[in-house]
Amino acid sequence: MWKNSEELEAVQESIENDLRQQVTRLRSKWSGFEPRLAIVQVGGREDSNVYIRMKLKAAEKIGIAAEHIRLPRDITEIELLAKITSLNESPSVHGIIVQMPLDSDHAIDAHRVTDAVSPDKDVDGLNTINEGRVAVGDLSGFIPCTPAGCVELIKKTGVTIAGKNVVVLGRSRIVGTPVSELLKWEHATVTVCHSKTKNLSEITKTAEILVVAIGRPEMVRGSWIKPGAVVIDCGINAIEDPTKKSGQRLVGDVAYQEAVKVASAVTPVPGGVGPMTVAMLMRNTVQAARRQLDRLLAPSWPLKPLRLTPITPPPSDIVIARSQKPKDIGELAAEIGLCPSEVSQYGRTKAKISLSVLDRLRNQRTGKYIVVAGITPTPLGEGKSTTLIGLVQALTAHRGKNAFACMRQPSQGPTFGVKGGAAGGGYSQVIPMEEFNLHMTGDIHAVTAANNLLAAQMDARIFHELTQKDGPLYDRLVPKIKGVRKFSPIQLRRLKRLGIDKTDPDSLTAEERVKFARLNIDPTKIMWNRVVDLNDRYLRKITIGQSPTEKGFTRETAFDISVASEIMAILALGNDVDDIKERLASMVVALDKDGNAVTADDLGMTGALLVLLRDAFEPTLMQSLEGTPVLVHAGPFANIAHGCSSILADKIAMKLAGPAGYVATEAGFGSDIGMEKFFDIKCRASGDRPHCAVIVATVRALKMHGGGPPVSPGLPLHDVYLQENLDLLHKGLCNLGKHISNGNKFGIPVVVAVNKHGNDSAAELSLVQDFALHNGAFRAVVCSHFTDGGAGAIELADAVIDACNRPTHFQYLYPLSFSIQDKIHTIASQMYGASEIEYTEEVLEKIKIFTEKGYDKFPICMAKTSNSLTGDPSIKGAPTDFTLKINGIFVSVGAGFVVPMVGEISKMPGLPTRPSIYDIDLNTKTGEIEGLF
């Protein structure tokens, strides 16, 4: 029993010691973890300052980082609520309290303010949701601190609460009502008294436990108390006392000197309930921090999959997609551990994810990394995206694993051309598929704008240098603004590169001014084209500058498709915004008349490019048909660029999936193109090491490689593809064998996913499986995810899990120290089967120049047809000992790779005779898009 403040201090110290140990354990689980409490104060009332100092001192002793946020008295309610919202959304803040009363010049609704604090951070327990939980006996939320302190004090007396008669004087929202509810749930018989209660002293005499919170000094006398009762005095009142220097002293609602003679235990004032209230605040803060850390360390997400009800035969992709109502993207974001401040919603079905996730989860260990590639495909595609989605649906919705699919954003070229969208298909696709396949969040448009602004600046600079003398050109580049003339930061960087160590524009010599002002771009050595995200064959060669205003300075150029822009490759290969900035700055757009590189930074474009691309740095969160997460980011073509989604998306996914999770990403086309570039370019840039490769194969494609008739979009399949033909299939299995061999060369297990089509026979599927297993595959499974969703890829998921648990010996195909020609030979011989490499004289001369400039230390990004292992799209199977012809080569300095051109590879596709355009329409009644696939 306690009857003085010293005994109560021991109780408080015991609680603080326990909390200090809890904080230490939390830090041992997560390096650098620190519980954080935000104390918001409006105005500067001295009594509030006293309480806040107590809280700050207690927090420091326990190891809680408490921040005192002082807000001015003239703050408005809207401004205060905005501040609370920012704290709610901050992942580094675990607990929030708003110090009451509010010392404000304006009328502010205190109840609205306390309800604005997130229930998950409401460590004062004053949010209506937390109060309501207490009322119904749900103590999983935060319990108001003073009531919790009262109950704790009663328990510390050793008195059993259950079965006791308890009287609570007062029914305030902050103390009386919640403490009565808490004691009720401790199985006491509780009587609540208030200002209208009659015979008050008679009722209090029946109490074995008496809690007083009425705000009237020393109202409860000793004669009101039952002998031996426990008395908890929550009041604190100032009364006159001429013996005190201040003229006042603090007393409670109970006449302490009288009560202490009757009761078995009485809390003194001050030094009783007040410090215990602070201790409970600290306990709630530690609890809030622990809950957040527990969510972070949980082996699996609290994800609720969406149920599929497949129809046989499956209807069109868009019909299937519309049959499923997506969950709100904010709900999915919360399920996978994202904080509100990290999510920028674009409507209800997609959201940008902040790169700040990487900083918050910097200490998080990552899980398994899987790449999905394919065999050499038919023009119809073999379902690689579909398999990726089916695999992740199986891992997450059916095997309870944390798993992400990371995909490229589709270009509108294929969407309106032949191939269609890239959302997957059947019951394994990203939804809403029309939003995925069209503009999504505008990243490709941002790349297009950035690319074309750079082209416009380059052509404008050429024009201005051709039409101006040295002096006026320099003066216009460095103008006087309000009488002051200075270089911009990007101009200072150019001066430094030129070796001019000056910062005053007027101090440059005439020679230095010319050197600075004139880029002297050689119009015949321009490497930068404009782009558009469409297939348009008539933009493959154009003439610009034909307007009379350009004074006859015309030149031939071309448009590329937007996803072929080097900016898109940089977006996909950057490890952070600083890395992306450095890569953008170093992009070589042309050579000057002396053969020196002219970069985007020389044109003053780096900052403008960053601004246009700012939102595009962030990946987009969407979901599969079964409600599992999909990150979509970047979209470089695989036959032109490296063909992989972004490093940033993969890194965010791996952090969110955690050490027991899985991240599956797609590499464009077959192992010879997309997968090799994934390993040698993307993984080299990111430093991430994969654990498993999935090779997608179809009976249809293997029959084609066995000598079957051509497969053409828009034309019916030949009978050999619709009927069992084991002989033709057997002849084509060599292509699958080559792709398995390619994967094994990188030292990781290869799982073959046989994407089952409706006309495939059991014998054909078995033949493919047996061949794969006898030719180096870790596992070969038949998948029906197109018709069955994740349930059709469960065996594939199990195979991937098993493969990822095997020790790996990942290695790159070649070291960067190899010469450009040695790297090309290694890729061509190891991945394609070539024995000889043939170069044109022009290519050999460029290789020499690239080597002199140090570009030979870059990896190689082969631009090659996806329809054959060779450079000839008509050659099928797995030929060997052929000659690969390199008829062009260029370097993407910003992206950081050298691009040899094998055969005729166009960076601007054209529309066929009958593109998908004919089938696409907008229903003007419903607003729905029709005809996408």
Side-chain angles (χ1 to χ4, degrees):
M1 292 296 183
W2 30 255
K3 289 195 177 183
N4 57 61
S5 58
E6 288 77 12
E7 293 174 358
L8 285 171
E9 284 173 6
V11 173
Q12 182 184 356
E13 186 175 340
S14 170
I15 293 171
E16 288 177 349
N17 287 336
D18 177 63
L19 293 175
R20 195 178 300 113
Q21 291 173 9
Q22 289 186 43
V23 170
T24 299
R25 287 194 292 272
L26 293 178
R27 286 175 174 161
S28 70
K29 293 180 180 180
W30 187 274
S31 176
F33 184 80
E34 189 173 42
R36 299 186 70 87
L37 171 66
I39 303 173
V40 179
Q41 181 186 19
V42 175
R45 284 177 53 134
E46 184 52 35
D47 56 348
S48 292
N49 291 335
V50 170
Y51 295 138
I52 290 172
R53 283 195 293 269
M54 289 172 57
K55 294 166 186 175
L56 293 173
K57 183 178 179 181
E60 184 180 6
K61 288 172 65 177
I62 292 166
I64 295 170
E67 180 184 6
H68 183 189
I69 300 171
R70 302 172 185 268
L71 301 177
R73 294 183 77 249
D74 62 356
I75 194 170
T76 65
E77 183 174 290
I78 291 175
E79 292 167 342
L80 176 56
L81 293 175
K83 180 62 181 177
I84 292 171
T85 298
S86 71
L87 294 171
N88 285 338
E89 294 180 348
S90 172
S92 64
V93 174
H94 305 108
I96 303 168
I97 65 168
V98 181
Q99 186 66 41
M100 295 293 175
L102 301 171
D103 182 20
S104 174
D105 293 337
H106 304 286
I108 296 180
D109 185 341
H111 188 73
R112 188 178 180 195
V113 169
T114 54
D115 270 2
V117 177
S118 167
D120 293 331
K121 297 187 177 185
D122 170 38
V123 290
D124 245 349
L126 299 180
N127 184 290
T128 301
I129 292 175
N130 283 325
E131 290 181 328
R133 285 172 174 161
V134 171
V136 297
D138 176 3
L139 305 183
S140 63
F142 292 112
I143 298 170
C145 298
T146 299
C150 293
V151 174
E152 188 71 21
L153 284 170
I154 295 168
K155 290 180 178 179
K156 292 296 183 182
T157 66
V159 171
T160 302
I161 298 175
K164 293 292 189 296
N165 288 324
V166 176
V167 173
V168 177
L169 297 191
R171 55 181 175 181
S172 72
R173 175 187 168 217
I174 294 175
V175 182
T177 297
V179 79
S180 66
E181 298 291 350
L182 287 175
L183 291 166
K184 179 179 69 177
W185 300 117
E186 291 286 345
H187 309 294
T189 302
V190 182
T191 301
V192 178
C193 298
H194 44 77
S195 59
K196 304 298 183 184
T197 302
K198 298 179 180 179
N199 302 319
L200 193 57
S201 62
E202 296 302 317
I203 296 173
T204 59
K205 286 179 184 177
T206 67
E208 295 166 284
I209 299 172
L210 178 62
V211 181
V212 186
I214 51 178
R216 295 178 63 178
E218 298 184 327
M219 177 178 172
V220 177
R221 316 307 299 185
S223 60
W224 292 27
I225 300 169
K226 182 177 181 178
V230 173
V231 180
I232 307 295
D233 188 353
C234 302
I236 186 162
N237 311 277
I239 63 172
E240 292 184 3
D241 187 344
T243 66
K244 300 292 184 181
K245 185 176 180 180
S246 64
Q248 291 182 327
R249 65 184 173 93
L250 296 177
V251 298
D253 293 347
V254 177
Y256 181 77
Q257 295 301 329
E258 296 179 18
V260 76
K261 297 174 183 178
V262 182
S264 62
V266 186
T267 56
V269 177
V273 172
M276 189 57 66
T277 297
V278 174
M280 294 300 102
L281 174 64
M282 298 302 113
R283 176 183 285 182
N284 280 350
T285 303
V286 172
Q287 181 182 352
R290 184 174 61 250
R291 286 175 177 173
Q292 187 189 96
L293 187 58
D294 287 346
R295 287 194 295 269
L296 192 61
L297 298 176
S300 61
W301 298 318
L303 188 140
K304 299 179 179 62
L306 300 177
R307 186 166 62 93
L308 284 184
T309 52
I311 298 172
T312 304
S316 68
D317 288 350
I318 198 163
V319 169
I320 292 173
R322 290 206 180 121
S323 70
Q324 183 72 285
K325 180 176 174 56
K327 65 177 77 171
D328 189 286
I329 202 67
E331 178 186 347
L332 176 61
E335 287 177 339
I336 61 176
L338 286 163
C339 301
S341 62
E342 297 164 342
V343 180
S344 299
Q345 290 196 206
Y346 283 59
R348 295 174 56 107
T349 56
K350 53 188 184 290
K352 283 285 190 179
I353 305 305
S354 171
L355 303 186
S356 64
V357 175
L358 293 172
D359 182 58
R360 175 172 65 89
L361 300 180
R362 60 188 175 276
N363 295 319
Q364 174 72 290
R365 292 184 296 118
T366 57
K368 307 301 183 181
Y369 195 25
I370 305 143
V371 60
V372 178
I375 62 171
T376 306
T378 69
L380 302 178
E382 308 320 306
K384 185 159 43 61
S385 301
T386 306
T387 302
L388 171 66
I389 297 299
L391 168 62
V392 172
Q393 288 182 159
L395 284 167
T396 308
H398 299 271
R399 285 295 182 252
K401 306 293 185 181
N402 292 356
F404 266 97
C406 290
M407 304 180 72
R408 291 173 291 168
Q409 180 179 351
S411 165
Q412 290 180 161
T415 299
F416 289 99
V418 174
K419 191 172 181 291
Y427 288 96
S428 294
Q429 56 175 305
V430 183
I431 56 172
M433 65 95 78
E434 56 266 54
E435 293 185 27
F436 177 87
N437 284 319
L438 295 175
H439 308 283
M440 209 165 67
T441 48
D443 290 359
I444 293 181
H445 300 318
V447 168
T448 302
N451 184 101
N452 293 345
L453 181 60
L454 178 53
Q457 166 70 341
M458 178 181 62
D459 283 316
R461 184 62 175 267
I462 294 170
F463 174 82
H464 291 309
E465 289 188 26
L466 289 170
T467 57
Q468 297 180 52
K469 294 182 178 180
D470 295 343
L473 177 64
Y474 180 79
D475 290 341
R476 288 189 174 103
L477 284 170
V478 196
K480 282 188 176 181
I481 301 174
K482 295 182 179 180
V484 178
R485 180 158 148 157
K486 62 180 181 178
F487 292 115
S488 68
I490 201 167
Q491 290 177 320
L492 290 171
R493 290 205 298 269
R494 173 162 167 77
L495 286 171
K496 186 176 181 180
R497 286 193 299 274
L498 294 172
I500 302 172
D501 189 20
K502 296 179 180 179
T503 58
D504 181 2
D506 294 324
S507 67
L508 270 66
T509 66
E511 182 182 354
E512 288 171 338
R513 292 184 183 205
V514 172
K515 190 177 180 181
F516 169 80
R518 292 204 175 273
L519 298 176
N520 288 322
I521 293 172
D522 184 344
T524 67
K525 301 286 179 61
I526 291 173
M527 308 166 190
W528 197 261
N529 291 340
R530 288 167 172 80
V531 298
V532 64
D533 191 36
L534 296 168
N535 292 357
D536 192 342
R537 65 192 318 117
Y538 273 84
L539 294 179
R540 290 171 177 168
K541 188 174 184 180
I542 62 171
T543 303
I544 61 171
Q546 292 189 345
S547 169
T549 57
E550 308 335 304
K551 301 182 180 181
F553 299 121
T554 63
R555 69 178 181 90
E556 286 189 350
T557 183
F559 270 77
D560 301 333
I561 194 164
S562 295
V563 289
S565 170
E566 184 176 354
I567 294 175
M568 180 62 83
I570 288 171
L571 188 65
L573 287 171
N575 280 282
D576 52 43
V577 176
D578 287 332
D579 184 23
I580 292 172
K581 181 177 182 178
E582 186 176 333
R583 289 171 179 270
L584 291 172
S586 62
M587 290 188 302
V588 175
V589 298
L591 300 179
D592 66 16
K593 292 175 182 177
D594 295 323
N596 299 311
V598 178
T599 66
D601 215 52
D602 288 325
L603 284 164
M605 279 295 300
T606 307
L609 294 175
L610 283 171
V611 168
L612 285 172
L613 295 168
R614 185 186 66 168
D615 292 340
F617 297 150
E618 299 179 339
T620 299
L621 176 66
M622 296 188 74
Q623 64 191 284
S624 71
L625 275 166
E626 296 191 51
T628 65
V630 179
L631 278 182
V632 188
H633 200 213
F637 270 8
N639 57 342
I640 299 168
H642 69 289
C644 302
S645 63
S646 78
I647 287 172
L648 285 170
D650 289 359
K651 285 187 178 296
I652 288 173
M654 285 191 283
K655 290 295 187 181
L656 289 169
Y662 297 81
V663 173
T665 189
E666 180 184 5
F669 300 119
S671 71
D672 55 319
I673 302 181
M675 189 177 79
E676 183 274 320
K677 294 173 184 176
F678 170 82
F679 292 137
D680 285 321
I681 297 177
K682 182 177 180 179
C683 290
R684 204 188 294 264
S686 69
D688 295 320
R689 301 175 71 84
H691 297 84
C692 170
V694 174
I695 300 293
V696 180
T698 62
V699 169
R700 178 182 66 196
L702 292 171
K703 286 180 177 178
M704 180 191 71
H705 287 294
V711 175
S712 301
L715 297 179
L717 287 172
H718 192 278
D719 285 347
V720 298
Y721 298 112
L722 305 177
Q723 300 168 2
E724 184 178 289
N725 191 322
L726 297 175
D727 182 57
L728 194 63
L729 175 61
H730 187 270
K731 291 177 182 178
L733 288 170
C734 58
N735 186 268
L736 172 60
K738 178 58 179 168
H739 288 286
I740 295 171
S741 171
N742 285 352
N744 285 330
K745 285 183 173 72
F746 292 93
I748 61 172
V750 174
V751 174
V752 172
V754 186
N755 188 12
K756 181 182 177 183
H757 288 192
N759 296 304
D760 299 341
S761 72
E764 289 174 327
L765 295 170
S766 179
L767 179 62
V768 176
Q769 283 183 281
D770 290 344
F771 176 88
L773 291 172
H774 286 90
N775 285 271
F778 171 76
R779 196 82 56 81
V781 297
V782 176
C783 308
S784 61
H785 45 273
F786 183 89
T787 55
D788 301 319
I794 290 176
E795 191 177 350
L796 174 61
D798 291 341
V800 166
I801 291 170
D802 292 344
C804 287
N805 287 332
R806 285 188 61 185
T808 60
H809 306 283
F810 175 70
Q811 59 187 10
Y812 302 120
L813 194 63
Y814 54 82
L816 293 180
S817 59
F818 272 20
S819 68
I820 290 175
Q821 285 159 287
D822 284 345
K823 291 170 187 168
I824 292 172
H825 186 271
T826 301
I827 295 170
S829 60
Q830 297 293 311
M831 293 288 104
Y832 311 157
S835 57
E836 300 291 335
I837 311 296
E838 184 179 296
Y839 300 93
T840 66
E841 288 300 320
E842 182 184 2
V843 169
L844 290 172
E845 181 60 30
K846 285 186 176 180
I847 289 175
K848 181 180 177 183
I849 294 170
F850 291 169
T851 301
E852 290 171 353
K853 292 182 180 296
Y855 302 153
D856 60 320
K857 300 301 185 287
F858 287 158
I860 298 297
C861 182
M862 300 288 282
K864 183 185 80 70
T865 178
S866 60
N867 294 323
S868 172
L869 287 165
T870 74
D872 183 347
S874 66
I875 298 177
K876 306 302 179 184
T880 57
D881 298 327
F882 57 88
T883 298
L884 194 73
K885 297 180 180 180
I886 310 296
N887 59 350
I889 195 168
F890 65 91
V891 61
S892 294
V893 178
F897 49 64
V898 174
V899 186
M901 306 286 285
V902 181
E904 294 299 321
I905 300 295
S906 173
K907 294 200 284 183
M908 172 52 79
L911 289 171
T913 304
R914 196 194 187 286
S916 304
I917 290 168
Y918 285 97
D919 303 311
I920 296 172
D921 198 1
L922 180 71
N923 187 315
T924 58
K925 304 297 184 186
T926 64
E928 292 183 338
I929 295 169
E930 299 171 346
L932 283 179
F933 68 99

